[in-house]
Amino acid sequence: MYELIIFDCDGVLINSEMIAARVEAAAYKREGFEMEPLGFAEHFAGMTHHAIQEAIEEELERKLDADFQEKLSEAFLELADTQMTAVPGVEEMLDMVEGPRCICSNSASDYLQRYLSDVGLFERFAPHIFSAGEVGNKASKPDPNVFQVAAQTFNVDPKACLVVEDSASGVKAAVAAGMTVIGFVGGDHTWPGHAEVLMQAGALTTVNRHADLAETIQALAAWEGEAL
């Protein structure tokens, strides 16, 4: 078996991506950048909020107000506080997956604690919840930083780590760290072609529901055999 199972958070454990996409699509539409929420989730999947803003500012050929991100965050939190849910089947899946596990996310640690607690998942991972911008060299995915920190913390060879990711940038980061990746396409933001995008980024396979994840992990561990 793998010595460490690593989960991304947004879109894998909690259904936050479409909440963010709806808020961001509406906010950027007011600034003159129009894109439907699902298209927004697809186009900017795995990017940090500041990276998204920089990309849209380049498209708009102007800078947005200095407090744009603050207002965006307030709008997201207001909606998330009433609409955040765990991805279906995640509790049962965690009951089935054996061995050490952790979370590696681009999201800030206070956000992770807040919403993982709200859906009852925080204690299932704490204290091993790593925020890319707060550990190592502070680089976010697609930099492998956060995955490298997790492996070092658990004193595990990256080759013995299995990562569950829902974005191309997350998959690329885990692959760059030398880890095996399963692409997850069971979140509420999944779009046609999502699985293919993750496979092209380096995922070994994909699953579209948590009910299949434990069995897939066992199958990959047996298949990779001596490499672990």
Side-chain angles (χ1 to χ4, degrees):
M1 294 296 291
Y2 292 95
E3 296 179 30
L4 178 63
I5 310 297
I6 303 174
F7 295 88
D8 178 45
C9 181
D10 297 289
V12 172
L13 301 176
I14 60 175
N15 267 325
S16 55
E17 296 288 5
M18 281 307 297
I19 297 174
R22 288 195 294 271
V23 170
E24 290 176 308
Y28 284 111
K29 183 177 182 178
R30 291 191 290 270
E31 299 292 337
F33 179 86
E34 293 199 30
M35 185 176 287
E36 291 301 312
L38 186 57
F40 199 99
E42 174 185 354
H43 189 76
F44 296 108
M47 294 175 61
T48 65
H49 296 301
H50 289 288
I52 292 171
Q53 180 173 334
E54 289 176 358
I56 293 177
E57 285 177 337
E58 185 174 345
E59 180 75 18
L60 295 173
E61 298 183 339
R62 64 181 176 85
K63 292 289 186 180
L64 300 180
D65 291 343
D67 63 351
F68 181 82
Q69 281 297 321
E70 181 179 349
K71 291 180 178 178
L72 195 64
S73 178
E74 290 173 356
F76 171 82
L77 294 175
E78 182 177 353
L79 194 61
D81 282 345
T82 60
Q83 296 189 9
M84 189 71 75
T85 60
V87 174
V90 66
E91 288 273 12
E92 295 81 359
M93 177 274 295
L94 291 174
D95 289 340
M96 296 175 65
V97 174
E98 299 178 350
R101 60 176 175 244
C102 68
I103 292 173
C104 287
S105 173
N106 272 351
S107 295
S109 58
D110 56 348
Y111 163 92
L112 294 169
Q113 180 170 355
R114 178 173 184 166
Y115 290 110
L116 286 168
S117 296
D118 279 356
V119 301
L121 295 177
F122 182 75
E123 294 300 330
R124 304 204 66 164
F125 290 93
H128 302 300
I129 300 173
F130 302 97
S131 171
E134 301 170 26
V135 298
N137 65 11
K138 308 296 193 292
S140 298
K141 306 169 190 176
D143 191 284
N145 165 54
V146 69
F147 293 115
Q148 293 168 335
V149 169
Q152 291 165 4
T153 300
F154 281 86
N155 194 27
V156 172
D157 187 328
K159 293 180 180 179
C161 297
L162 186 284
V163 177
V164 183
E165 269 284 356
D166 71 310
S167 72
S169 63
V171 172
K172 290 175 182 177
V175 170
M179 300 176 179
T180 300
V181 187
I182 294 176
F184 184 74
V185 293
D188 64 0
H189 66 300
T190 291
W191 63 90
H194 189 181
E196 288 77 7
V197 168
L198 300 185
M199 293 289 286
Q200 290 172 1
L204 199 57
T205 188
T206 63
V207 297
N208 61 12
R209 58 179 193 156
H210 278 306
D212 298 329
L213 189 56
E215 183 178 341
T216 302
I217 291 172
Q218 293 173 353
L220 286 181
W223 181 67
E224 293 201 328
E226 295 179 0
L228 297 177

